[in-house]
Amino acid sequence: MNGPALKHPSFPFGERVRSFYHLLLLVGVFVCLGSRARADFTLTLDLKEGDTISDVTKVVAHVVSDALILKVDFKVDDTDPVTATSTPYIYNWDTIADTEGAHKLTVTATDANGKTKAVTLSVTIDNEIATGAPALTEKAQAAVTAGDFATAFKYARRALKADPTAVDAVRALARGYVAQKKYDEAIAALEGIKNLDASARALSDDAEYRLQRGLLAKNIGAIVLELPTIADLRRKAADLGVKQAAGQPSAIQGDALLQAARYEDAQKEYGNTVDFATVNRQALANILAGRPRDGAALLRVRIKDHKSSVADRAVFGLAMLLEHDPTSARAIVAEDLHSRVPASLIVAAYADAALGKREAAAAEALKASVLAPNAPETYYALSMTTTEENAVERDLVTTIGEAPLQAGPYLDLAVLKILSKATDRNAQAFKLIGFAQKLEPDNINAKLIEALTYVQSKQTVPAIALLRPLARDYPSAPDVLMATAICYLAMGQDDVAGRFLDMANKIDQDRVGRLLPEQPLVFLRRVNHEVHYRTGFFLTPQTLTVPKTETASNP
């Protein structure tokens, strides 16, 4: 069957040509875009071929790509690469860990399409290790002295690379951390020294940084737990000091023994010298050994003949304080308060605090702290001149941290804890009392504080077990008699309590008596924090002379 023929659509020839060119143009655009994308994938570094680097060098990679960059790998020689996955692409290269000389650095960037771009450089590490640990340590110490802790940190690390046992380099490194309040890092650096126990200075630094960390507001509540470690470090340092002083003049050996709380050995060593000036130190050794009368006897003739020095009179005043005579102690040093010898001001502050003259005591303690800011006895004097609990605690903790072999400050802090509102106050107090008793097993004040703490807790059986022997052995000690009266009163034996109270008032009504023995804490506060009746006053050799920057005609 014949029908109309079907016609196919057709385009004019010119239109077909134009469509063909459009197609070619689109293909060209895509080709160009692909080429451009490949061309824009670039990788550059801040470092250049042949650069010399040192310490911690920051390597920065700059990547330009139209595709997402998944990672940038930094590889040194044949080590495992370090990967950065976000901008800026940085590798902090600690060159101290690598050897001196030439190294190959390869940096590779990888995009989301799996394409990579790599740059390889040859660089040279130069940390001056060849100059040796002593020279590098010297530079670190000089930077510490100048207060440039960043430079100190740098050279200390270099010195340790040259010699991992360079103790003084570690000390400089630790001081750099401390300058940034990074006490944990400082302590860790010191504790990491293999030969820490062979360096008295490193041990002392360790103790000092632990103390500073403990004094931070967030840590002060737990400082009691840190005190045994601090004390152990100080003792080790003092024992090393004794060894290092061997063969030195007797005065130097005696000072080292005194610092180590080896009082009997110290007074014997001082006795081996004909140096007239060390008699006061020999007297001090006797006093700190618990024999204040023997110490005073060594100085009495010199004082009577007007041949005594400022230091003689300060030590004699200390003996008077420990004999419960603050009035005589204050009188003996009165003429020396402008001598620039810190011990005179400290003894005066101790005495005025015991006499209830808090304002005068505060002024004297402050002047002493200016002359001898690092002496533990200045902090001890300051602790007696304020009623602000936090300030007293900080001063007592600092005293213990600097002089942990003195029992008195532990006991004063124990009383402060007992008087506080802390839930664990008795537990902390008993720990502190225990520390003091390890130093002085027969310390009367430790037993009194312990007994009154039991009474306060209504535990009269262990309390009276402590007090009866004391009352028998010290029948003329008013604080012992008063504490015994308080315990008997708590036991309901009013008549016995009254007899002990009468005896105490006859001996010392003004300073110890006067109060009805009803509250153990009231008595503890009065005896230990108001009249300081049995406080462990002490001095150290460093405050017996004028500071090096000062001069005096009668040291």
Side-chain angles (χ1 to χ4, degrees):
M1 182 175 66
N2 297 324
L6 295 177
K7 295 182 179 180
H8 294 284
S10 60
F11 297 95
F13 177 76
E15 290 184 12
R16 290 198 298 272
V17 171
R18 283 195 296 273
S19 297
F20 178 73
Y21 280 124
H22 287 161
L23 179 60
L24 288 177
L25 181 60
L26 287 173
V27 172
V29 168
F30 283 119
V31 170
C32 289
L33 286 175
S35 300
R36 181 181 176 184
R38 287 193 296 273
D40 282 350
F41 189 2
T42 61
L43 171 63
T44 58
L45 307 179
D46 284 353
L47 281 181
K48 298 180 180 60
E49 175 73 19
D51 277 355
T52 297
I53 60 176
S54 62
D55 302 299
V56 177
T57 296
K58 181 187 290 187
V59 181
V60 182
H62 304 279
V63 184
V64 177
S65 175
D66 288 340
L68 176 67
I69 298 299
L70 295 181
K71 63 177 181 175
V72 175
D73 292 322
F74 300 85
K75 184 175 182 179
V76 176
D77 298 324
D78 295 323
T79 61
D80 293 333
V82 174
T83 301
T85 58
S86 60
T87 58
Y89 303 107
I90 294 175
Y91 167 44
N92 290 311
W93 184 358
D94 188 353
T95 66
I96 295 293
D98 295 304
T99 58
E100 299 282 88
H103 291 270
K104 181 176 71 174
L105 171 66
T106 301
V107 181
T108 305
T110 304
D111 70 11
N113 297 321
K115 296 178 180 178
T116 62
K117 190 74 172 182
V119 174
T120 299
L121 298 177
S122 292
V123 295
T124 300
I125 295 177
D126 183 9
N127 283 307
E128 305 176 81
I129 305 302
T131 61
L136 294 167
T137 298
E138 186 176 346
K139 289 184 177 181
Q141 292 172 330
V144 168
T145 302
D148 183 356
F149 295 105
T151 300
F153 188 86
K154 177 178 72 175
Y155 280 108
R157 294 180 73 241
R158 292 182 178 188
L160 288 169
K161 174 68 174 181
D163 179 6
T165 65
V167 174
D168 286 339
V170 179
R171 293 180 62 229
L173 181 67
R175 288 186 65 182
Y177 281 128
V178 169
Q180 303 171 63
K181 305 298 182 184
K182 296 179 178 179
Y183 295 107
D184 290 342
E185 288 87 342
I187 292 165
L190 291 167
E191 291 289 333
I193 305 174
K194 294 181 180 179
N195 56 334
L196 175 64
D197 287 352
S199 172
R201 290 180 297 179
L203 288 165
S204 295
D205 286 350
D206 196 357
E208 178 64 25
Y209 301 152
R210 287 176 182 274
L211 175 61
Q212 291 183 33
R213 181 178 65 180
L215 288 173
L216 294 175
K218 64 179 181 180
N219 298 330
I220 189 69
I223 186 62
V224 171
L225 300 176
E226 186 76 271
L227 291 177
T229 301
I230 294 173
D232 185 56
L233 290 166
R234 293 287 189 194
R235 183 184 291 277
K236 287 180 179 179
D239 289 342
L240 281 176
V242 172
K243 291 182 180 179
Q244 292 167 357
Q248 297 292 317
S250 290
I252 294 176
Q253 293 189 60
D255 285 355
L257 289 163
L258 205 65
Q259 183 72 18
R262 292 170 55 178
Y263 304 127
E264 301 295 344
D265 293 335
Q267 67 93 13
K268 291 177 182 177
E269 190 62 46
Y270 287 130
N272 290 333
T273 179
V274 295
D275 186 353
F276 189 73
T278 61
V279 174
N280 52 60
R281 283 170 165 73
Q282 187 178 13
L284 179 60
N286 276 278
I287 293 168
L288 295 179
R291 299 189 298 272
R293 292 183 183 179
D294 291 346
L298 288 171
L299 300 170
R300 185 169 282 111
V301 173
R302 294 169 65 169
I303 291 173
K304 183 178 180 180
D305 293 343
H306 303 287
K307 295 180 180 179
S308 60
S309 68
V310 175
D312 291 342
R313 293 188 287 274
V315 173
F316 191 87
L318 178 67
M320 295 299 98
L321 282 167
L322 295 174
E323 286 290 299
H324 313 297
D325 188 359
T327 301
S328 296
R330 180 63 172 77
I332 196 69
V333 298
E335 64 181 286
D336 302 321
L337 299 186
H338 300 290
S339 69
R340 313 294 289 175
V341 172
S344 300
L345 288 162
I346 292 166
V347 169
Y350 285 160
D352 280 332
L355 293 168
K357 300 177 181 179
R358 192 178 299 277
E359 186 175 339
E364 289 151 354
L366 184 60
K367 289 179 181 177
S369 69
V370 172
L371 288 173
N374 298 318
E377 57 263 53
T378 62
Y379 289 102
Y380 199 29
L382 287 168
S383 76
M384 302 175 194
T385 65
T386 179
T387 57
E388 205 282 304
E389 185 176 315
N390 290 336
V392 175
E393 182 172 9
R394 289 183 65 85
D395 287 334
L396 285 173
V397 168
T398 303
T399 303
I400 293 170
E402 299 294 343
L405 306 183
Q406 296 295 328
Y410 287 103
L411 298 176
D412 284 5
L413 185 58
V415 173
L416 187 68
K417 292 294 183 182
I418 294 168
L419 297 174
S420 74
K421 297 179 181 179
T423 55
D424 62 341
R425 57 186 179 276
N426 285 358
Q428 290 201 45
F430 280 130
K431 284 182 180 179
L432 291 162
I433 293 167
F435 299 158
Q437 289 176 326
K438 285 183 179 179
L439 296 170
E440 298 179 12
D442 298 324
N443 189 291
I444 295 173
N445 201 30
K447 295 177 181 179
L448 290 177
I449 296 169
E450 184 178 9
L452 289 170
T453 304
Y454 281 131
V455 175
Q456 181 66 26
S457 303
K458 303 187 184 307
Q459 299 179 63
T460 54
V461 174
I464 200 65
L466 287 167
L467 290 168
R468 278 175 178 160
L470 289 178
R472 181 191 64 236
D473 296 339
Y474 303 96
S476 298
D479 55 342
V480 172
L481 298 173
M482 280 288 289
T484 306
I486 290 170
C487 188
Y488 275 115
L489 191 66
M491 295 168 66
Q493 300 183 35
D494 295 4
D495 291 342
V496 179
R499 290 199 298 271
F500 279 101
L501 176 60
D502 289 342
M503 288 188 288
N505 280 326
K506 288 178 182 178
I507 296 169
D508 193 341
Q509 182 179 14
D510 290 337
R511 299 186 64 218
V512 176
R514 193 185 299 166
L515 293 174
L516 289 175
E518 296 178 352
Q519 295 295 330
L521 297 189
V522 173
F523 183 68
L524 277 175
R525 178 183 291 108
R526 175 165 178 75
V527 171
N528 287 275
H529 283 181
E530 292 179 18
V531 302
H532 302 282
Y533 188 76
R534 208 175 283 276
T535 295
F537 303 110
F538 71 95
L539 292 173
T540 60
Q542 72 184 97
T543 60
L544 293 178
T545 57
V546 177
K548 291 181 179 180
T549 56
E550 303 288 342
T551 58
S553 58
N554 190 23

